[in-house]
Amino acid sequence: MMTTGSTGSTFPKWQLAIILGAPVALTLGYLYYRRQTSHSEADERKKKFNKADKSVSIDGDETKELTNGPTKAEAPVKLSPLEAAMEFKNRGNESCPGTNTIELATFYQNRAAAHEQLKQWNAVREDCTRALGLNPKYIKAYNRRAKAHEYLKDLPSSLEDITATCILEQFQNQSSIAFADRVLRTLGAQHATEAIKERKPVAPSSHFVTSFCAAFSSDPLKDIAVAVSNPKGFMLAKVEFDRLNLDKVIPACTEELGQEISEYRAMAFLRGTMYQLMGLFTEALEDFAQLIPDEELSGKIRVNALIKRASINVQMDKMEECFEDFAAAEKIDPNNPDIFYHRGQMYVLLQRLQEAVEDFQKTIDMVPDFGMAYVQKLYVEYRTALMEDNPMKSFHLLEKFRDAMERFPKCVECYSIMAQILTEQQQYKEADQLFEKAIKLDPGNATLYVHRGILQLQWRGDVDTALQLLQTAITVDDRCEFAFETLASIEVQRGNMQKAIELFDAAINLAKSETELRHLFSLKDAAMAQMNVASRMGIEASSLSALAASALV
């Protein structure tokens, strides 16, 4: 989803998280703080999950020779995986009592390995299930069954098994974490594709719309003032848009577009902007397509439509088309600052930082008092200085940030971005003070409360204050998806999985793009997997999150 962040940026929200305060991400949970746990306590916790029995395996490092292998006079006979598994199975049937459950589990797991070599995935799943019935903490059996589930297209079961694997491995095996991440992404994409077809449009909050419009310094709508006493059609739409009576905008625009002769027909495509803000991208693209090729229209209108179409293309993962739209807009009007401001943000997404700086500078040259462009340029330069390990340059840029707050005292983004930089430097008190100033400037901005709540967790581990700030964010804007997502993620950390899932569902209902739905469904699926695995293993969910958090230490 294209979001307004703190002041109207069209950064996708995951990129704004980087700029304005990213939560720590771990594949099987998004953790917003680390529990204040000593290493000794963490070690004890890990021991609890590390009781899976060592056993003989034909495909790993826990191996030993067959008890009656070749004699010294005999040449070793190299067995295929299937032959080795059958050998284990036969000897197990002959000599292993039913009470030796660990050994029997090993035999089933080894036969599953042989079936895997033959890509007999149903058989793999069946033998791993038998092995786990005998040894419920058998890591290799969980891992192998997860792979079988994946090949058999049973992704929820695959996710649960690889989650169990990660837990038993104490989240230390990067291969297993990568496996889990792959399954989460695929499963999230499937759920998102299904959900987007049934998605019900949600009108954006008034603050969202105001912030979105603030990101356009050359908006053609700003040139029109309504002076009639009984407005109709587009004029009515403009009045209602200015009053933030958003549910009345689209019908009024549609009325104007239904007239054969209309002075404001082109402007009535304000409807396309409303469609975009509601996540109705197909309808928005249709309206913008009517404007872009019409050379009789003003360049400002066509450029505005191209920029907004470029934004939609990003949300639809069409980066090439996005930059084609920016190129077309620059050809129409190379002096329109909005082109360079929004394209600069796209360059940031692609880590093309020098190009981003150049575009932000072009915006500043055209609109010197555009504080958002100025501070975003400073931030990109600051990140570049950190990457270059240039402390003198970083210090100099921080001083420029402080100057920017004096130069643009009403620019909320100046305070929020500087607060994030101070958070990175663990200067929490000053960061909190800056978030407080930003909230006083823009009390209707729910994302500021969210970021300040995250800061409380990073600073003091103060869950109560963080939750209060998040609840305030939802009170201020009950359509702030970011607040629901963050609150859900904290509940994951606290082990309140059912509540977390309900909050993720609330965020999903507010999502406007398939890209964002993929992200949210991945979080929800991870929470559901943790809840189910914890129940099956008899482990409290909070212990899983704490164990995952300790893996970050």
Side-chain angles (χ1 to χ4, degrees):
M1 180 181 90
M2 302 307 279
T3 184
T4 58
S6 61
T7 55
S9 167
T10 54
F11 280 117
K13 188 178 62 185
W14 60 266
Q15 182 68 22
L16 270 173
I18 295 173
I19 292 179
L20 297 178
V24 179
L26 190 66
T27 301
L28 295 179
Y30 279 61
L31 312 175
Y32 284 82
Y33 68 102
R34 299 177 183 177
R35 295 203 168 203
Q36 301 301 312
T37 307
S38 68
H39 286 289
S40 60
E41 289 174 326
D43 290 342
E44 287 300 315
R45 189 188 302 113
K46 289 179 179 181
K47 289 178 183 177
K48 177 179 179 181
F49 297 100
N50 197 29
K51 295 181 179 178
D53 298 272
K54 299 288 185 180
S55 51
V56 181
S57 173
I58 66 170
D59 65 333
D61 54 4
E62 301 161 18
T63 59
K64 63 182 180 181
E65 293 181 356
L66 299 178
T67 54
N68 56 345
T71 65
K72 293 182 180 179
E74 297 173 323
V77 177
K78 184 176 178 62
L79 300 179
S80 71
L82 179 58
E83 292 169 333
M86 291 301 116
E87 179 71 14
F88 274 113
K89 173 180 177 292
N90 293 336
R91 294 184 187 181
N93 289 339
E94 293 169 3
S95 60
C96 186
T99 55
N100 290 16
T101 56
I102 300 302
E103 288 77 6
L104 282 172
T106 303
F107 299 154
Y108 280 122
Q109 199 283 141
N110 285 337
R111 189 169 70 176
H115 286 308
E116 181 181 351
Q117 293 293 321
L118 299 173
K119 301 188 184 304
Q120 297 172 342
W121 299 110
N122 281 307
V124 172
R125 181 169 59 183
E126 290 170 4
D127 274 351
C128 286
T129 299
R130 293 188 181 100
L132 289 166
L134 296 163
N135 180 1
K137 294 185 178 179
Y138 202 162
I139 295 174
K140 289 184 178 179
Y142 275 120
N143 192 297
R144 182 161 276 120
R145 192 172 69 175
K147 188 184 298 183
H149 284 314
E150 184 182 26
Y151 275 96
L152 293 169
K153 310 299 183 185
D154 185 356
L155 293 182
S157 296
S158 179
L159 179 59
E160 288 191 14
D161 278 354
I162 196 59
T163 299
T165 302
C166 289
I167 292 166
L168 293 170
E169 293 173 337
Q170 303 135 33
F171 294 89
Q172 297 299 313
N173 188 324
Q174 292 303 311
S175 176
S176 297
I177 291 174
F179 184 173
D181 185 61
R182 181 179 71 246
V183 175
L184 276 170
R185 289 175 185 274
T186 306
L187 189 59
Q190 287 184 3
H191 288 155
T193 300
E194 295 165 2
I196 201 71
K197 297 175 183 177
E198 306 295 329
R199 177 185 171 275
K200 295 180 180 179
V202 178
S205 68
S206 58
H207 187 275
F208 185 98
V209 175
T210 300
S211 299
F212 180 87
C213 293
F216 292 87
S217 59
S218 186
D219 189 340
L221 286 174
K222 295 177 181 178
D223 299 335
I224 298 177
V226 179
V228 296
S229 58
N230 186 26
K232 295 182 180 179
F234 167 72
M235 285 301 185
L236 176 61
K238 178 66 166 57
V239 168
E240 300 297 358
F241 187 80
D242 290 342
R243 292 175 178 172
L244 297 174
N245 295 326
L246 303 176
D247 57 329
K248 298 180 181 181
V249 174
I250 289 178
C253 286
T254 301
E255 177 188 346
E256 184 76 36
L257 292 169
Q259 299 179 22
E260 292 185 8
I261 301 176
S262 169
E263 180 182 358
Y264 296 105
R265 185 175 181 81
M267 299 306 299
F269 285 102
L270 165 64
R271 186 178 68 176
T273 299
M274 284 302 304
Y275 282 145
Q276 178 183 8
L277 293 172
M278 295 174 68
L280 296 170
F281 296 148
T282 300
E283 291 86 345
L285 290 173
E286 289 175 356
D287 275 2
F288 295 147
Q290 296 295 315
L291 299 174
I292 292 168
D294 190 346
E295 296 183 359
E296 295 184 1
L297 295 178
S298 74
K300 184 180 285 190
I301 292 174
R302 296 169 65 202
V303 165
N304 187 267
L306 279 163
I307 293 171
K308 289 173 179 175
R309 188 170 75 177
S311 170
I312 293 174
N313 281 328
V314 171
Q315 295 171 80
M316 298 176 71
D317 296 325
K318 297 179 179 179
M319 293 304 297
E320 185 176 350
E321 289 89 338
C322 165
F323 283 102
E324 287 175 356
D325 282 341
F326 280 121
E330 187 175 6
K331 187 176 180 180
I332 293 170
D333 184 2
N335 296 313
N336 188 311
D338 290 342
I339 299 169
F340 305 102
Y341 176 66
H342 292 274
R343 189 173 66 184
Q345 294 176 335
M346 297 306 112
Y347 282 138
V348 172
L349 297 184
L350 298 177
Q351 293 295 303
R352 292 162 62 175
L353 301 185
Q354 184 55 44
E355 291 166 290
V357 168
E358 291 170 1
D359 268 1
F360 287 144
Q361 185 60 56
K362 289 178 181 177
T363 306
I364 295 165
D365 291 341
M366 296 176 189
V367 191
D369 60 349
F370 192 16
M372 288 190 291
Y374 185 84
V375 74
Q376 287 181 22
K377 173 178 173 285
L378 283 183
Y379 184 79
V380 174
E381 290 176 325
Y382 172 77
R383 299 310 305 180
T384 302
L386 291 183
M387 293 166 60
E388 294 172 348
D389 195 20
N390 190 334
M392 289 299 294
K393 185 177 180 181
S394 299
F395 177 80
H396 177 66
L397 287 164
L398 287 180
E399 291 303 307
K400 284 192 171 184
F401 264 107
R402 297 187 188 280
D403 292 340
M405 287 188 285
E406 294 184 7
R407 181 180 171 186
F408 305 104
K410 295 184 179 180
C411 179
V412 176
E413 205 150 10
C414 288
Y415 300 97
S416 59
I417 292 180
M418 185 62 175
Q420 167 55 20
I421 292 173
L422 292 172
T423 300
E424 292 173 357
Q425 297 178 346
Q426 298 186 0
Q427 298 182 40
Y428 298 120
K429 185 175 181 180
E430 187 178 356
D432 189 57
Q433 290 171 348
L434 290 179
F435 275 129
E436 186 177 13
K437 287 182 180 179
I439 289 171
K440 286 181 179 178
L441 283 173
D442 193 2
N445 189 333
T447 61
L448 293 174
Y449 297 95
V450 177
H451 289 303
R452 193 180 183 195
I454 294 170
L455 172 63
Q456 304 309 309
L457 296 174
Q458 294 173 308
W459 181 10
R460 301 189 179 104
D462 188 345
V463 179
D464 291 338
T465 300
L467 293 177
Q468 289 173 7
L469 286 164
L470 288 165
Q471 291 295 345
T472 300
I474 292 171
T475 301
V476 165
D477 182 358
D478 62 1
R479 282 165 282 184
C480 180
E481 171 203 327
F482 187 28
F484 286 104
E485 177 192 334
T486 305
L487 191 56
S489 299
I490 292 175
E491 295 299 350
V492 167
Q493 172 66 11
R494 301 174 77 198
N496 299 328
M497 294 300 184
Q498 189 58 53
K499 187 172 183 180
I501 290 167
E502 293 171 2
L503 289 164
F504 281 133
D505 279 335
I508 286 167
N509 290 336
L510 295 170
K512 292 181 173 62
S513 72
E514 190 168 345
T515 298
E516 192 159 36
L517 282 169
R518 287 198 295 267
H519 165 71
L520 290 168
F521 271 113
S522 292
L523 294 179
K524 178 186 174 182
D525 291 337
M528 291 183 67
Q530 286 191 29
M531 182 175 66
N532 293 337
V533 170
S535 175
R536 188 167 66 236
M537 287 186 165
I539 302 168
E540 288 191 13
S542 58
S543 298
L544 302 188
S545 295
L547 179 65
S550 70
L552 294 170
V553 176

